[in-house]
Amino acid sequence: MRLEFWGAAHTVTGSCYLLESSDRRYLIDCGMFQGARRVRLLNYNDFAFNPADIDAVVLTHAHVDHSGLIPKLVRQGFKGTVYATKATCDLAKIMLPDSAHIQESDSLLMNRKNARRGLEPMEPLYTLDDAAEALKHFSPCPYDAEWDLADNIKVKFRDAGHIIGSALVEMWVTEGDKTTKLVFSGDLGQNDQPILRDPSIIDGADFLMVESTYGDRLHPIYDKETRLLEIINDTMDRGGNLIIPAFAVGRTQTLLYYLYNLWRAGRLDSDIPIVLDSPLAINATRIFFQNYENFDEESLQLIGPDGSVPEFPQLHLCVTPEESRALNSSEGSAIILSASGMADAGRVLHHLKHNLWRPESTVLFAGYQAEGSLGRRLVEGLKRVRVMGEEVVVRAKIEIMNGFSAHADSNQLMNWIAAIQNPKPAKVFIVHGEATAQEALKTRIQKECGEEVYIPFRGDVAKISGRASEIQYSNIPEVSTEMEMEEVLKTFDEDYRQMRHKVLQYVIRQPKTMDGMVKVLQKLRNYMKKLMASYNIG
């Protein structure tokens, strides 16, 4: 069999893997690239395969970086079935049309600019009609039940604990007298998180594809409800708004869970309006409750036996654009949850435009911010940013609560990987992460599990037979350049870590040299910036 890596390979988004076996072809995920413009432009490339030749898609979950190119796939000839859990199918019914609306709106805006420049109009990536057609291909499958993808391939969805409906994929592929078990982590959630069950433990695997979003970091352990309350009270005391860019699916529901607990315990002032300003998040929350059987035991105790929504009079739903715009002219303070979570699209941009310049307001990021996103620039401390084409000075307080992440951290990933025994993976492929996170996780897996690890580039192919594999490296020009530069940067990182250790030990032994050493390091930093300035890298 062949396993080709066409997304989330040396990037965090665009999950897409092509499996070929017995002259048939299957995709595991078909996601959209998000983040920096260089990455987003990959969405407009032709697929590296003929969509009409794809027999089926196995979808891990509904987030658009895993599902968002399915309408494009259908538009270009895919006729097969998209298999996913019931909750994922339900979420896709709102998320794919929402994504299509964004594609159409962005295309309309770009074409107005192109017309003024005398350029040809640009087609949207896909349309609402494409999304509607794509949804006809979805077929729900239960958790923990084995089913046949083909005569020689069996599949089982296991709970990934990432968002409602998210799944790990166990796949058994039989070729001749050899059966190979592949495991795709999709996005792996944390243990002991609100609403969701813990990720399932996998008994064994021959080959493992594992995400690495937080492969180099640990989530802080602290009282999230109390910290959230402190940020709320601080903002309200200053007379500002608390703007929370929140992913419509997953993060919004977790935040509402904490806010509800604070209100129910009498800790949150009942006079503070909590506004959910995202039609997608509102609909997603309803779908969460429609699939309440997937909740963990603690969350099930908060709702009725029929999955009814708990009373929460402090919460206001903002549905229409007019209601959303009115928030920015209303008096008083409020907590406003609005998509998108990385502040790169959606209604939250209006709220940022009206609040970033206000020192009394706060912007709270509760999750990962991809490279190139507005959210990433704000958490990195930029004092001026462009929002909806307008430069805005940043005077609002920027807060970060990373512990809300829906992704497992380095220790949680390692614990999950180490539990895969009988057999242990012959090879682990690290996907879905930035280079530093992937390298850190690779080092830990090799050291602590003793397993062979490879970080694939886009276009790489793994030729697999039983537990044996051979890598056919990508010949895509830009990927080849990336691979060479990664090797140079890897050496640079090793030199830096060694120098860092030596400097630290030197100063510890001779504390009086610290001031001089700081000056030397500052000169080195300034010199590097000067060298890089000619490449517009600062």
Side-chain angles (χ1 to χ4, degrees):
M1 81 183 83
R2 289 166 56 94
L3 181 63
E4 302 181 7
F5 298 85
W6 290 110
H10 272 77
T11 59
V12 180
T13 57
S15 180
C16 184
Y17 317 107
L18 172 62
L19 178 69
E20 294 186 22
S21 176
S22 300
D23 297 324
R24 304 191 74 179
R25 297 181 170 191
Y26 309 93
L27 292 184
I28 295 86
D29 288 345
C30 188
M32 183 177 290
F33 292 95
Q34 298 173 306
R37 184 174 183 273
R38 172 184 66 85
V39 177
R40 295 198 309 272
L41 287 175
L42 293 173
N43 293 316
Y44 294 90
N45 289 355
D46 290 334
F47 286 112
F49 42 82
N50 182 359
D53 292 338
I54 302 299
D55 293 284
V57 177
V58 179
L59 180 60
T60 61
H61 65 287
H63 276 152
V64 293
D65 63 322
H66 291 255
S67 69
L69 289 188
I70 292 176
K72 178 183 174 182
L73 191 76
V74 171
R75 182 179 190 174
Q76 295 188 1
F78 173 69
K79 303 296 183 184
T81 301
V82 179
Y83 296 100
T85 65
K86 175 186 175 298
T88 294
C89 291
D90 290 345
L91 286 171
K93 293 175 184 176
I94 61 171
M95 296 188 73
L96 293 184
D98 181 77
S99 177
H101 174 72
I102 292 171
Q103 306 312 314
E104 290 185 341
S105 297
D106 287 352
S107 176
L108 185 63
L109 181 63
M110 181 59 68
N111 286 337
R112 288 174 182 167
K113 293 180 180 179
N114 286 347
R116 291 193 292 270
R117 298 168 183 166
L119 301 176
E120 292 295 317
M122 181 186 75
E123 286 271 328
L125 190 60
Y126 51 82
T127 66
L128 282 163
D129 287 342
D130 296 325
E133 185 62 32
L135 290 170
K136 297 176 183 177
H137 293 255
F138 277 68
S139 177
C141 299
Y143 280 121
D144 303 322
E146 194 175 287
W147 47 276
D148 293 332
L149 179 64
D151 292 341
N152 70 319
I153 301 179
K154 296 183 181 299
V155 177
K156 184 187 290 185
F157 283 134
R158 306 292 300 282
D159 201 326
H162 174 64
I163 61 170
I164 202 84
S166 61
L168 311 163
V169 176
E170 293 183 285
M171 185 177 290
W172 293 264
V173 183
T174 301
E175 294 182 324
D177 60 351
K178 297 177 181 178
T179 296
T180 302
K181 182 179 179 182
L182 309 175
V183 173
F184 298 84
S185 74
D187 283 351
L188 195 71
Q190 298 192 58
N191 288 342
D192 303 319
Q193 292 303 294
I195 304 173
L196 303 174
R197 297 187 296 238
D198 290 349
S200 300
I201 300 300
I202 302 301
D203 293 332
D206 294 308
F207 293 92
L208 170 64
M209 278 52 66
V210 64
E211 69 122 314
S212 57
T213 311
Y214 283 89
D216 60 342
R217 281 163 285 177
L218 300 179
H219 295 314
I221 300 173
Y222 62 101
D223 184 342
K224 296 184 183 68
E225 286 184 8
T226 297
R227 179 61 187 137
L228 178 58
L229 183 61
E230 289 171 351
I231 294 171
I232 292 169
N233 289 338
D234 174 65
T235 307
M236 299 303 115
D237 289 344
R238 300 199 319 269
N241 291 315
L242 174 58
I243 309 300
I244 309 180
F247 299 105
V249 180
R251 194 62 38 78
T252 292
Q253 291 72 36
T254 299
L255 287 163
L256 289 175
Y257 177 92
Y258 282 122
L259 290 167
Y260 174 76
N261 276 349
L262 289 169
W263 169 78
R264 191 176 61 145
R267 301 174 66 193
L268 179 63
D269 188 340
S270 59
D271 292 335
I272 302 172
I274 300 170
V275 183
L276 180 54
D277 183 24
S278 166
L280 181 61
I282 292 168
N283 288 329
T285 303
R286 291 181 177 132
I287 288 172
F288 264 61
F289 280 97
Q290 290 167 9
N291 290 274
Y292 68 93
E293 66 276 5
N294 294 328
F295 288 7
D296 63 14
E297 290 299 322
E298 185 178 359
S299 299
L300 286 172
Q301 294 175 10
L302 295 177
I303 63 178
D306 59 348
S308 56
V309 179
E311 180 189 13
F312 195 5
Q314 208 163 341
L315 179 65
H316 305 276
L317 305 183
C318 194
V319 178
T320 68
E322 292 74 21
E323 291 172 322
S324 178
R325 286 192 290 269
L327 293 174
N328 293 311
S329 59
S330 62
E331 296 182 359
S333 300
I335 302 168
I336 302 175
L337 289 85
S338 186
S340 70
M342 296 184 192
D344 51 8
R347 292 183 180 182
V348 74
L349 292 176
H350 292 274
H351 302 307
L352 291 174
K353 181 179 176 181
H354 286 273
N355 284 275
L356 276 174
W357 58 270
R358 300 177 61 199
E360 63 270 26
S361 289
T362 300
V363 179
L364 169 61
F365 290 97
Y368 179 81
Q369 303 300 308
E371 183 181 358
S373 65
L374 175 58
R376 180 70 162 259
R377 295 197 293 276
L378 288 170
V379 300
E380 287 178 344
L382 266 67
K383 296 303 179 185
R384 289 182 179 272
V385 293
R386 293 194 71 81
V387 183
M388 303 177 69
E390 181 179 327
E391 187 174 272
V392 180
V393 65
V394 180
R395 295 195 181 100
K397 195 171 184 178
I398 307 298
E399 294 278 5
I400 308 161
M401 291 183 67
N402 285 324
F404 278 102
S405 176
H407 291 267
D409 68 13
S410 182
N411 281 351
Q412 292 160 346
L413 285 167
M414 287 304 304
N415 289 339
W416 183 78
I417 294 168
I420 302 176
Q421 302 286 334
N422 304 318
K424 295 172 64 174
K427 183 172 287 184
V428 177
F429 295 93
I430 297 180
V431 294
H432 205 295
E434 294 181 356
T436 52
Q438 293 181 321
E439 287 292 341
L441 186 61
K442 175 182 178 180
T443 300
R444 286 198 66 178
I445 294 172
Q446 290 173 328
K447 181 179 179 181
E448 298 174 31
C449 300
E451 294 166 1
E452 188 176 342
V453 183
Y454 179 66
I455 304 173
F457 286 84
R458 188 167 60 89
D460 280 356
V461 178
K463 296 181 178 179
I464 296 171
S465 176
R467 284 176 60 82
S469 66
E470 175 189 348
I471 303 299
Q472 177 181 311
Y473 300 103
S474 172
N475 60 3
I476 302 173
E478 65 266 29
V479 173
S480 299
T481 301
E482 182 182 358
M483 293 171 72
E484 291 180 24
M485 196 66 216
E486 282 285 357
E487 288 301 315
V488 174
L489 291 172
K490 191 183 298 182
T491 303
F492 186 88
D493 285 341
E494 290 170 358
D495 290 344
Y496 164 75
R497 283 195 295 271
Q498 291 177 12
M499 182 62 70
R500 184 183 186 279
H501 177 73
K502 290 177 181 178
V503 168
L504 188 59
Q505 293 304 312
Y506 183 85
V507 171
I508 289 172
R509 290 193 300 268
Q510 303 183 57
K512 292 182 180 179
T513 65
M514 180 171 172
D515 289 344
M517 186 63 73
V518 169
K519 291 179 181 177
V520 169
L521 293 174
Q522 188 62 53
K523 286 181 180 179
L524 283 171
R525 183 182 181 189
N526 291 338
Y527 182 60
M528 180 173 285
K529 285 186 175 181
K530 185 177 180 180
L531 288 174
M532 293 297 181
S534 60
Y535 297 96
N536 292 320
I537 300 173

Short mmCIF file of all heavy atoms in Angstrom, two decimals, residues 188-230:
data_model
loop_
_atom_site.label_atom_id
_atom_site.label_comp_id
_atom_site.label_asym_id
_atom_site.label_seq_id
_atom_site.Cartn_x
_atom_site.Cartn_y
_atom_site.Cartn_z
N LEU A 188 -5.94 15.11 18.85
CA LEU A 188 -6.09 14.41 20.12
C LEU A 188 -6.36 15.40 21.23
O LEU A 188 -5.64 16.39 21.39
CB LEU A 188 -4.82 13.61 20.43
CG LEU A 188 -4.93 12.55 21.51
CD1 LEU A 188 -5.76 11.38 21.02
CD2 LEU A 188 -3.53 12.07 21.92
N GLY A 189 -7.42 15.16 22.01
CA GLY A 189 -7.79 16.07 23.09
C GLY A 189 -7.06 15.78 24.38
O GLY A 189 -6.29 14.83 24.52
N GLN A 190 -7.31 16.66 25.36
CA GLN A 190 -6.76 16.48 26.70
C GLN A 190 -7.65 15.57 27.52
O GLN A 190 -8.87 15.50 27.29
CB GLN A 190 -6.66 17.81 27.42
CG GLN A 190 -5.77 18.86 26.81
CD GLN A 190 -5.55 20.00 27.78
OE1 GLN A 190 -5.06 19.81 28.89
NE2 GLN A 190 -5.93 21.20 27.37
N ASN A 191 -7.08 14.95 28.53
CA ASN A 191 -7.89 14.25 29.54
C ASN A 191 -8.53 15.26 30.48
O ASN A 191 -8.05 16.38 30.63
CB ASN A 191 -7.01 13.29 30.35
CG ASN A 191 -6.58 12.08 29.55
OD1 ASN A 191 -7.17 11.76 28.51
ND2 ASN A 191 -5.55 11.40 30.01
N ASP A 192 -9.62 14.84 31.11
CA ASP A 192 -10.26 15.61 32.19
C ASP A 192 -10.70 17.00 31.74
O ASP A 192 -10.58 17.98 32.49
CB ASP A 192 -9.33 15.73 33.40
CG ASP A 192 -8.89 14.38 33.94
OD1 ASP A 192 -9.75 13.47 34.00
OD2 ASP A 192 -7.70 14.23 34.28
N GLN A 193 -11.21 17.09 30.51
CA GLN A 193 -11.72 18.36 30.02
C GLN A 193 -13.24 18.41 30.12
O GLN A 193 -13.91 17.36 30.10
CB GLN A 193 -11.30 18.57 28.57
CG GLN A 193 -9.81 18.79 28.41
CD GLN A 193 -9.30 19.95 29.22
OE1 GLN A 193 -9.64 21.10 28.96
NE2 GLN A 193 -8.49 19.67 30.23
N PRO A 194 -13.82 19.62 30.25
CA PRO A 194 -15.28 19.72 30.35
C PRO A 194 -15.98 19.14 29.13
O PRO A 194 -15.46 19.20 28.01
CB PRO A 194 -15.51 21.24 30.43
CG PRO A 194 -14.23 21.81 30.90
CD PRO A 194 -13.16 20.92 30.33
N ILE A 195 -17.13 18.58 29.36
CA ILE A 195 -18.07 18.10 28.34
C ILE A 195 -17.62 16.79 27.68
O ILE A 195 -18.40 15.84 27.59
CB ILE A 195 -18.34 19.16 27.24
CG1 ILE A 195 -18.83 20.48 27.85
CG2 ILE A 195 -19.34 18.64 26.22
CD1 ILE A 195 -18.95 21.62 26.87
N LEU A 196 -16.36 16.73 27.24
CA LEU A 196 -15.92 15.60 26.42
C LEU A 196 -15.37 14.45 27.25
O LEU A 196 -14.81 14.64 28.32
CB LEU A 196 -14.85 16.07 25.44
CG LEU A 196 -15.25 17.21 24.51
CD1 LEU A 196 -14.04 17.66 23.70
CD2 LEU A 196 -16.38 16.78 23.58
N ARG A 197 -15.51 13.24 26.68
CA ARG A 197 -14.86 12.08 27.28
C ARG A 197 -13.36 12.10 26.97
O ARG A 197 -12.93 12.74 26.01
CB ARG A 197 -15.49 10.79 26.73
CG ARG A 197 -16.97 10.63 27.09
CD ARG A 197 -17.49 9.27 26.68
NE ARG A 197 -17.47 9.06 25.25
CZ ARG A 197 -18.55 8.76 24.52
NH1 ARG A 197 -19.73 8.65 25.10
NH2 ARG A 197 -18.44 8.57 23.22
N ASP A 198 -12.59 11.39 27.76
CA ASP A 198 -11.15 11.31 27.53
C ASP A 198 -10.86 10.55 26.24
O ASP A 198 -11.65 9.69 25.82
CB ASP A 198 -10.45 10.59 28.69
CG ASP A 198 -10.46 11.41 29.97
OD1 ASP A 198 -10.80 12.60 29.91
OD2 ASP A 198 -10.12 10.84 31.03
N PRO A 199 -9.72 10.84 25.58
CA PRO A 199 -9.36 10.10 24.36
C PRO A 199 -9.25 8.60 24.63
O PRO A 199 -8.76 8.19 25.69
CB PRO A 199 -8.00 10.69 23.98
CG PRO A 199 -7.97 12.05 24.61
CD PRO A 199 -8.76 11.92 25.87
N SER A 200 -9.70 7.81 23.69
CA SER A 200 -9.64 6.36 23.83
C SER A 200 -8.18 5.88 23.77
O SER A 200 -7.35 6.45 23.05
CB SER A 200 -10.41 5.68 22.69
OG SER A 200 -11.77 6.07 22.70
N ILE A 201 -7.90 4.83 24.51
CA ILE A 201 -6.59 4.20 24.45
C ILE A 201 -6.61 3.14 23.34
O ILE A 201 -7.54 2.34 23.24
CB ILE A 201 -6.24 3.54 25.80
CG1 ILE A 201 -6.23 4.60 26.90
CG2 ILE A 201 -4.90 2.82 25.72
CD1 ILE A 201 -5.23 5.70 26.70
N ILE A 202 -5.58 3.15 22.52
CA ILE A 202 -5.49 2.23 21.39
C ILE A 202 -4.64 1.02 21.78
O ILE A 202 -3.56 1.16 22.37
CB ILE A 202 -4.86 2.94 20.17
CG1 ILE A 202 -5.70 4.18 19.79
CG2 ILE A 202 -4.75 2.00 18.99
CD1 ILE A 202 -7.14 3.89 19.44
N ASP A 203 -5.11 -0.18 21.44
CA ASP A 203 -4.45 -1.41 21.89
C ASP A 203 -3.10 -1.63 21.21
O ASP A 203 -2.15 -2.08 21.83
CB ASP A 203 -5.36 -2.62 21.62
CG ASP A 203 -6.61 -2.60 22.47
OD1 ASP A 203 -6.55 -2.02 23.58
OD2 ASP A 203 -7.64 -3.14 22.04
N GLY A 204 -2.99 -1.35 19.93
CA GLY A 204 -1.74 -1.58 19.23
C GLY A 204 -1.81 -0.97 17.84
O GLY A 204 -2.89 -0.59 17.37
N ALA A 205 -0.65 -0.84 17.19
CA ALA A 205 -0.62 -0.26 15.84
C ALA A 205 0.67 -0.66 15.16
O ALA A 205 1.71 -0.83 15.81
CB ALA A 205 -0.74 1.26 15.89
N ASP A 206 0.62 -0.81 13.85
CA ASP A 206 1.85 -1.02 13.07
C ASP A 206 2.44 0.31 12.64
O ASP A 206 3.65 0.49 12.65
CB ASP A 206 1.54 -1.90 11.86
CG ASP A 206 1.13 -3.31 12.26
OD1 ASP A 206 1.88 -3.93 13.05
OD2 ASP A 206 0.05 -3.76 11.83
N PHE A 207 1.55 1.25 12.27
CA PHE A 207 2.01 2.58 11.89
C PHE A 207 1.06 3.61 12.51
O PHE A 207 -0.16 3.44 12.48
CB PHE A 207 2.05 2.75 10.37
CG PHE A 207 3.09 1.88 9.72
CD1 PHE A 207 2.77 0.61 9.26
CD2 PHE A 207 4.40 2.32 9.60
CE1 PHE A 207 3.72 -0.20 8.69
CE2 PHE A 207 5.37 1.51 9.03
CZ PHE A 207 5.03 0.25 8.57
N LEU A 208 1.65 4.66 13.08
CA LEU A 208 0.88 5.68 13.79
C LEU A 208 1.12 7.03 13.16
O LEU A 208 2.28 7.45 12.96
CB LEU A 208 1.29 5.71 15.26
CG LEU A 208 0.76 6.88 16.11
CD1 LEU A 208 -0.76 6.82 16.22
CD2 LEU A 208 1.40 6.86 17.50
N MET A 209 0.05 7.75 12.82
CA MET A 209 0.11 9.13 12.38
C MET A 209 -0.43 9.98 13.53
O MET A 209 -1.62 9.91 13.86
CB MET A 209 -0.76 9.34 11.13
CG MET A 209 -0.10 8.95 9.81
SD MET A 209 0.61 7.29 9.73
CE MET A 209 -0.85 6.25 9.84
N VAL A 210 0.44 10.78 14.16
CA VAL A 210 0.04 11.50 15.37
C VAL A 210 0.26 12.99 15.22
O VAL A 210 1.25 13.44 14.67
CB VAL A 210 0.82 10.96 16.61
CG1 VAL A 210 2.33 11.22 16.49
CG2 VAL A 210 0.28 11.57 17.90
N GLU A 211 -0.71 13.74 15.70
CA GLU A 211 -0.61 15.20 15.66
C GLU A 211 0.43 15.69 16.66
O GLU A 211 0.80 14.97 17.59
CB GLU A 211 -1.97 15.84 15.94
CG GLU A 211 -2.48 15.69 17.36
CD GLU A 211 -2.76 17.03 18.03
OE1 GLU A 211 -1.90 17.92 17.93
OE2 GLU A 211 -3.82 17.16 18.67
N SER A 212 0.89 16.95 16.50
CA SER A 212 1.97 17.46 17.35
C SER A 212 1.81 18.94 17.65
O SER A 212 2.80 19.63 17.90
CB SER A 212 3.32 17.22 16.65
OG SER A 212 3.32 17.83 15.37
N THR A 213 0.58 19.44 17.64
CA THR A 213 0.35 20.88 17.82
C THR A 213 1.07 21.42 19.05
O THR A 213 1.71 22.47 19.01
CB THR A 213 -1.16 21.17 17.94
OG1 THR A 213 -1.85 20.52 16.87
CG2 THR A 213 -1.43 22.66 17.89
N TYR A 214 0.97 20.70 20.16
CA TYR A 214 1.63 21.11 21.40
C TYR A 214 2.74 20.12 21.76
O TYR A 214 2.98 19.86 22.94
CB TYR A 214 0.61 21.21 22.53
CG TYR A 214 -0.23 22.46 22.46
CD1 TYR A 214 -1.41 22.50 21.74
CD2 TYR A 214 0.18 23.63 23.09
CE1 TYR A 214 -2.17 23.65 21.66
CE2 TYR A 214 -0.57 24.79 23.02
CZ TYR A 214 -1.75 24.79 22.30
OH TYR A 214 -2.49 25.94 22.22
N GLY A 215 3.45 19.63 20.77
CA GLY A 215 4.47 18.62 21.01
C GLY A 215 5.67 19.11 21.78
O GLY A 215 6.47 18.31 22.27
N ASP A 216 5.83 20.42 21.90
CA ASP A 216 6.98 20.98 22.64
C ASP A 216 6.56 21.75 23.88
O ASP A 216 7.38 22.47 24.47
CB ASP A 216 7.80 21.90 21.72
CG ASP A 216 6.98 23.08 21.19
OD1 ASP A 216 5.73 23.03 21.25
OD2 ASP A 216 7.59 24.06 20.72
N ARG A 217 5.29 21.62 24.28
CA ARG A 217 4.81 22.43 25.40
C ARG A 217 3.92 21.63 26.34
O ARG A 217 3.35 20.61 25.95
CB ARG A 217 4.00 23.63 24.87
CG ARG A 217 4.84 24.77 24.37
CD ARG A 217 4.04 25.70 23.51
NE ARG A 217 3.77 25.13 22.17
CZ ARG A 217 3.05 25.72 21.25
NH1 ARG A 217 2.50 26.89 21.49
NH2 ARG A 217 2.88 25.15 20.08
N LEU A 218 3.83 22.13 27.57
CA LEU A 218 2.92 21.56 28.55
C LEU A 218 1.85 22.59 28.87
O LEU A 218 2.14 23.78 29.00
CB LEU A 218 3.68 21.18 29.83
CG LEU A 218 4.81 20.16 29.69
CD1 LEU A 218 5.45 19.93 31.04
CD2 LEU A 218 4.29 18.85 29.11
N HIS A 219 0.62 22.13 28.99
CA HIS A 219 -0.45 23.04 29.37
C HIS A 219 -0.33 23.36 30.86
O HIS A 219 -0.09 22.45 31.67
CB HIS A 219 -1.82 22.41 29.11
CG HIS A 219 -2.11 22.16 27.67
ND1 HIS A 219 -1.86 23.11 26.70
CD2 HIS A 219 -2.61 21.08 27.02
CE1 HIS A 219 -2.20 22.62 25.52
NE2 HIS A 219 -2.64 21.39 25.68
N PRO A 220 -0.48 24.61 31.22
CA PRO A 220 -0.43 24.95 32.65
C PRO A 220 -1.61 24.34 33.39
O PRO A 220 -2.72 24.27 32.87
CB PRO A 220 -0.50 26.48 32.66
CG PRO A 220 -1.17 26.84 31.37
CD PRO A 220 -0.74 25.78 30.38
N ILE A 221 -1.34 23.89 34.60
CA ILE A 221 -2.39 23.33 35.46
C ILE A 221 -2.75 24.38 36.50
O ILE A 221 -1.92 24.75 37.34
CB ILE A 221 -1.92 22.03 36.14
CG1 ILE A 221 -1.55 20.99 35.08
CG2 ILE A 221 -3.00 21.49 37.07
CD1 ILE A 221 -0.93 19.73 35.64
N TYR A 222 -3.97 24.89 36.42
CA TYR A 222 -4.40 25.92 37.35
C TYR A 222 -5.91 25.96 37.37
O TYR A 222 -6.58 25.28 36.59
CB TYR A 222 -3.83 27.28 36.94
CG TYR A 222 -4.27 27.77 35.57
CD1 TYR A 222 -5.27 28.72 35.44
CD2 TYR A 222 -3.68 27.28 34.41
CE1 TYR A 222 -5.68 29.17 34.20
CE2 TYR A 222 -4.08 27.71 33.16
CZ TYR A 222 -5.07 28.66 33.05
OH TYR A 222 -5.48 29.10 31.82
N ASP A 223 -6.46 26.75 38.24
CA ASP A 223 -7.90 26.87 38.38
C ASP A 223 -8.40 27.80 37.28
O ASP A 223 -8.37 29.03 37.42
CB ASP A 223 -8.24 27.43 39.77
CG ASP A 223 -9.74 27.49 40.04
OD1 ASP A 223 -10.52 27.43 39.06
OD2 ASP A 223 -10.12 27.63 41.21
N LYS A 224 -8.87 27.23 36.18
CA LYS A 224 -9.26 28.03 35.02
C LYS A 224 -10.46 28.91 35.32
O LYS A 224 -10.54 30.05 34.85
CB LYS A 224 -9.54 27.11 33.83
CG LYS A 224 -8.33 26.32 33.35
CD LYS A 224 -8.67 25.52 32.12
CE LYS A 224 -7.50 24.67 31.67
NZ LYS A 224 -7.20 23.59 32.62
N GLU A 225 -11.41 28.37 36.06
CA GLU A 225 -12.60 29.18 36.38
C GLU A 225 -12.23 30.42 37.15
O GLU A 225 -12.70 31.53 36.85
CB GLU A 225 -13.61 28.34 37.17
CG GLU A 225 -14.33 27.31 36.34
CD GLU A 225 -15.39 26.55 37.13
OE1 GLU A 225 -15.65 26.94 38.29
OE2 GLU A 225 -15.94 25.58 36.61
N THR A 226 -11.36 30.27 38.15
CA THR A 226 -10.96 31.42 38.97
C THR A 226 -10.18 32.42 38.14
O THR A 226 -10.39 33.64 38.26
CB THR A 226 -10.13 30.95 40.17
OG1 THR A 226 -10.95 30.12 41.01
CG2 THR A 226 -9.63 32.14 40.99
N ARG A 227 -9.25 31.95 37.29
CA ARG A 227 -8.48 32.87 36.46
C ARG A 227 -9.39 33.60 35.48
O ARG A 227 -9.22 34.82 35.26
CB ARG A 227 -7.40 32.09 35.70
CG ARG A 227 -6.54 32.98 34.78
CD ARG A 227 -5.81 34.04 35.57
NE ARG A 227 -5.12 34.98 34.69
CZ ARG A 227 -5.10 36.28 34.87
NH1 ARG A 227 -5.75 36.83 35.91
NH2 ARG A 227 -4.45 37.06 34.04
N LEU A 228 -10.33 32.90 34.89
CA LEU A 228 -11.29 33.54 33.99
C LEU A 228 -12.08 34.61 34.73
O LEU A 228 -12.29 35.72 34.22
CB LEU A 228 -12.24 32.49 33.40
CG LEU A 228 -13.34 32.99 32.46
CD1 LEU A 228 -12.76 33.72 31.26
CD2 LEU A 228 -14.21 31.83 32.00
N LEU A 229 -12.49 34.29 35.95
CA LEU A 229 -13.25 35.26 36.76
C LEU A 229 -12.40 36.49 37.08
O LEU A 229 -12.90 37.62 37.05
CB LEU A 229 -13.73 34.60 38.05
CG LEU A 229 -14.59 35.45 38.98
CD1 LEU A 229 -15.88 35.87 38.27
CD2 LEU A 229 -14.91 34.69 40.26
N GLU A 230 -11.11 36.29 37.35
CA GLU A 230 -10.23 37.43 37.63
C GLU A 230 -10.13 38.36 36.43
O GLU A 230 -10.16 39.58 36.58
CB GLU A 230 -8.83 36.91 38.01
CG GLU A 230 -8.77 36.24 39.36
CD GLU A 230 -7.43 35.55 39.61
OE1 GLU A 230 -6.61 35.46 38.65
OE2 GLU A 230 -7.19 35.10 40.74
#
